[in-house]
PDB file of all heavy atoms in Angstrom:
ATOM      1  N   GLU A 184      35.478  -8.192 -16.045  1.00 90.00           N
ATOM      2  CA  GLU A 184      36.648  -7.512 -15.542  1.00 90.00           C
ATOM      3  C   GLU A 184      37.315  -6.658 -16.579  1.00 90.00           C
ATOM      4  O   GLU A 184      37.683  -5.486 -16.336  1.00 90.00           O
ATOM      5  CB  GLU A 184      37.659  -8.565 -15.011  1.00 90.00           C
ATOM      6  CG  GLU A 184      37.122  -9.386 -13.912  1.00 90.00           C
ATOM      7  CD  GLU A 184      37.283  -8.809 -12.535  1.00 90.00           C
ATOM      8  OE1 GLU A 184      37.450  -7.562 -12.493  1.00 90.00           O
ATOM      9  OE2 GLU A 184      37.235  -9.489 -11.551  1.00 90.00           O
ATOM     10  N   ARG A 185      37.401  -7.123 -17.826  1.00 93.00           N
ATOM     11  CA  ARG A 185      37.998  -6.381 -18.829  1.00 93.00           C
ATOM     12  C   ARG A 185      37.262  -5.157 -19.262  1.00 93.00           C
ATOM     13  O   ARG A 185      37.839  -4.154 -19.482  1.00 93.00           O
ATOM     14  CB  ARG A 185      38.195  -7.322 -20.113  1.00 93.00           C
ATOM     15  CG  ARG A 185      38.982  -6.763 -21.192  1.00 93.00           C
ATOM     16  CD  ARG A 185      39.056  -7.763 -22.384  1.00 93.00           C
ATOM     17  NE  ARG A 185      37.797  -8.027 -22.997  1.00 93.00           N
ATOM     18  CZ  ARG A 185      37.097  -7.234 -23.800  1.00 93.00           C
ATOM     19  NH1 ARG A 185      37.705  -6.066 -24.162  1.00 93.00           N
ATOM     20  NH2 ARG A 185      35.969  -7.574 -24.356  1.00 93.00           N
ATOM     21  N   ARG A 186      35.949  -5.286 -19.284  1.00 94.00           N
ATOM     22  CA  ARG A 186      35.147  -4.159 -19.806  1.00 94.00           C
ATOM     23  C   ARG A 186      34.787  -3.118 -18.784  1.00 94.00           C
ATOM     24  O   ARG A 186      34.533  -1.940 -19.113  1.00 94.00           O
ATOM     25  CB  ARG A 186      33.817  -4.775 -20.360  1.00 94.00           C
ATOM     26  CG  ARG A 186      33.964  -5.514 -21.647  1.00 94.00           C
ATOM     27  CD  ARG A 186      32.742  -6.231 -22.123  1.00 94.00           C
ATOM     28  NE  ARG A 186      31.638  -5.190 -22.349  1.00 94.00           N
ATOM     29  CZ  ARG A 186      30.425  -5.585 -22.587  1.00 94.00           C
ATOM     30  NH1 ARG A 186      30.093  -6.787 -22.670  1.00 94.00           N
ATOM     31  NH2 ARG A 186      29.400  -4.681 -22.743  1.00 94.00           N
ATOM     32  N   ARG A 187      34.683  -3.546 -17.524  1.00 95.00           N
ATOM     33  CA  ARG A 187      34.103  -2.683 -16.499  1.00 95.00           C
ATOM     34  C   ARG A 187      34.945  -1.376 -16.241  1.00 95.00           C
ATOM     35  O   ARG A 187      34.425  -0.393 -15.997  1.00 95.00           O
ATOM     36  CB  ARG A 187      33.891  -3.481 -15.181  1.00 95.00           C
ATOM     37  CG  ARG A 187      32.981  -2.747 -14.275  1.00 95.00           C
ATOM     38  CD  ARG A 187      31.692  -2.417 -14.885  1.00 95.00           C
ATOM     39  NE  ARG A 187      30.642  -1.640 -14.094  1.00 95.00           N
ATOM     40  CZ  ARG A 187      29.676  -0.895 -14.603  1.00 95.00           C
ATOM     41  NH1 ARG A 187      29.521  -0.857 -15.865  1.00 95.00           N
ATOM     42  NH2 ARG A 187      28.929  -0.167 -13.745  1.00 95.00           N
ATOM     43  N   GLY A 188      36.281  -1.601 -16.110  1.00 95.00           N
ATOM     44  CA  GLY A 188      37.187  -0.455 -15.897  1.00 95.00           C
ATOM     45  C   GLY A 188      36.918   0.686 -16.838  1.00 95.00           C
ATOM     46  O   GLY A 188      36.661   1.815 -16.442  1.00 95.00           O
ATOM     47  N   PRO A 189      37.033   0.405 -18.167  1.00 97.00           N
ATOM     48  CA  PRO A 189      36.793   1.486 -19.097  1.00 97.00           C
ATOM     49  C   PRO A 189      35.295   2.084 -19.039  1.00 97.00           C
ATOM     50  O   PRO A 189      35.217   3.217 -19.262  1.00 97.00           O
ATOM     51  CB  PRO A 189      37.074   0.763 -20.488  1.00 97.00           C
ATOM     52  CG  PRO A 189      37.925  -0.434 -20.192  1.00 97.00           C
ATOM     53  CD  PRO A 189      37.517  -0.797 -18.776  1.00 97.00           C
ATOM     54  N   GLU A 190      34.319   1.198 -18.700  1.00 97.00           N
ATOM     55  CA  GLU A 190      33.063   1.745 -18.601  1.00 97.00           C
ATOM     56  C   GLU A 190      32.871   2.784 -17.491  1.00 97.00           C
ATOM     57  O   GLU A 190      32.353   3.878 -17.573  1.00 97.00           O
ATOM     58  CB  GLU A 190      32.072   0.657 -18.302  1.00 97.00           C
ATOM     59  CG  GLU A 190      31.823  -0.271 -19.575  1.00 97.00           C
ATOM     60  CD  GLU A 190      30.967  -1.555 -19.274  1.00 97.00           C
ATOM     61  OE1 GLU A 190      30.534  -1.730 -18.164  1.00 97.00           O
ATOM     62  OE2 GLU A 190      30.816  -2.329 -20.223  1.00 97.00           O
ATOM     63  N   LEU A 191      33.498   2.330 -16.299  1.00 97.00           N
ATOM     64  CA  LEU A 191      33.470   3.222 -15.156  1.00 97.00           C
ATOM     65  C   LEU A 191      34.255   4.536 -15.434  1.00 97.00           C
ATOM     66  O   LEU A 191      33.794   5.665 -15.051  1.00 97.00           O
ATOM     67  CB  LEU A 191      33.954   2.557 -13.869  1.00 97.00           C
ATOM     68  CG  LEU A 191      33.107   1.477 -13.344  1.00 97.00           C
ATOM     69  CD1 LEU A 191      33.814   0.687 -12.173  1.00 97.00           C
ATOM     70  CD2 LEU A 191      31.754   2.032 -12.823  1.00 97.00           C
ATOM     71  N   ALA A 192      35.329   4.433 -16.056  1.00 97.00           N
ATOM     72  CA  ALA A 192      36.129   5.573 -16.454  1.00 97.00           C
ATOM     73  C   ALA A 192      35.301   6.581 -17.335  1.00 97.00           C
ATOM     74  O   ALA A 192      35.344   7.756 -17.152  1.00 97.00           O
ATOM     75  CB  ALA A 192      37.346   5.209 -17.235  1.00 97.00           C
ATOM     76  N   ARG A 193      34.469   6.040 -18.251  1.00 97.00           N
ATOM     77  CA  ARG A 193      33.608   6.945 -19.095  1.00 97.00           C
ATOM     78  C   ARG A 193      32.514   7.505 -18.225  1.00 97.00           C
ATOM     79  O   ARG A 193      32.199   8.776 -18.386  1.00 97.00           O
ATOM     80  CB  ARG A 193      32.977   6.157 -20.258  1.00 97.00           C
ATOM     81  CG  ARG A 193      33.921   5.942 -21.437  1.00 97.00           C
ATOM     82  CD  ARG A 193      33.154   5.314 -22.547  1.00 97.00           C
ATOM     83  NE  ARG A 193      32.135   6.155 -23.216  1.00 97.00           N
ATOM     84  CZ  ARG A 193      31.347   5.779 -24.183  1.00 97.00           C
ATOM     85  NH1 ARG A 193      31.424   4.556 -24.614  1.00 97.00           N
ATOM     86  NH2 ARG A 193      30.442   6.586 -24.640  1.00 97.00           N
ATOM     87  N   ILE A 194      32.043   6.740 -17.266  1.00 97.00           N
ATOM     88  CA  ILE A 194      30.904   7.360 -16.415  1.00 97.00           C
ATOM     89  C   ILE A 194      31.468   8.486 -15.563  1.00 97.00           C
ATOM     90  O   ILE A 194      30.882   9.513 -15.453  1.00 97.00           O
ATOM     91  CB  ILE A 194      30.293   6.229 -15.572  1.00 97.00           C
ATOM     92  CG1 ILE A 194      29.453   5.328 -16.489  1.00 97.00           C
ATOM     93  CG2 ILE A 194      29.339   6.842 -14.509  1.00 97.00           C
ATOM     94  CD1 ILE A 194      28.977   3.987 -15.790  1.00 97.00           C
ATOM     95  N   ASN A 195      32.657   8.241 -15.021  1.00 96.00           N
ATOM     96  CA  ASN A 195      33.306   9.211 -14.118  1.00 96.00           C
ATOM     97  C   ASN A 195      33.658  10.468 -14.967  1.00 96.00           C
ATOM     98  O   ASN A 195      33.530  11.553 -14.444  1.00 96.00           O
ATOM     99  CB  ASN A 195      34.430   8.629 -13.412  1.00 96.00           C
ATOM    100  CG  ASN A 195      33.988   7.598 -12.375  1.00 96.00           C
ATOM    101  OD1 ASN A 195      32.895   7.693 -11.866  1.00 96.00           O
ATOM    102  ND2 ASN A 195      34.823   6.625 -12.042  1.00 96.00           N
ATOM    103  N   ALA A 196      34.171  10.218 -16.127  1.00 96.00           N
ATOM    104  CA  ALA A 196      34.599  11.422 -16.936  1.00 96.00           C
ATOM    105  C   ALA A 196      33.304  12.169 -17.277  1.00 96.00           C
ATOM    106  O   ALA A 196      33.341  13.460 -17.340  1.00 96.00           O
ATOM    107  CB  ALA A 196      35.282  10.911 -18.229  1.00 96.00           C
TER     108      ALA A 196
END
Side-chain angles (χ1 to χ4, degrees):
E184 298 276 20
R185 185 181 65 75
R186 291 174 57 188
R187 195 58 186 156
E190 289 172 2
L191 290 174
R193 276 186 73 185
I194 291 170
N195 291 332

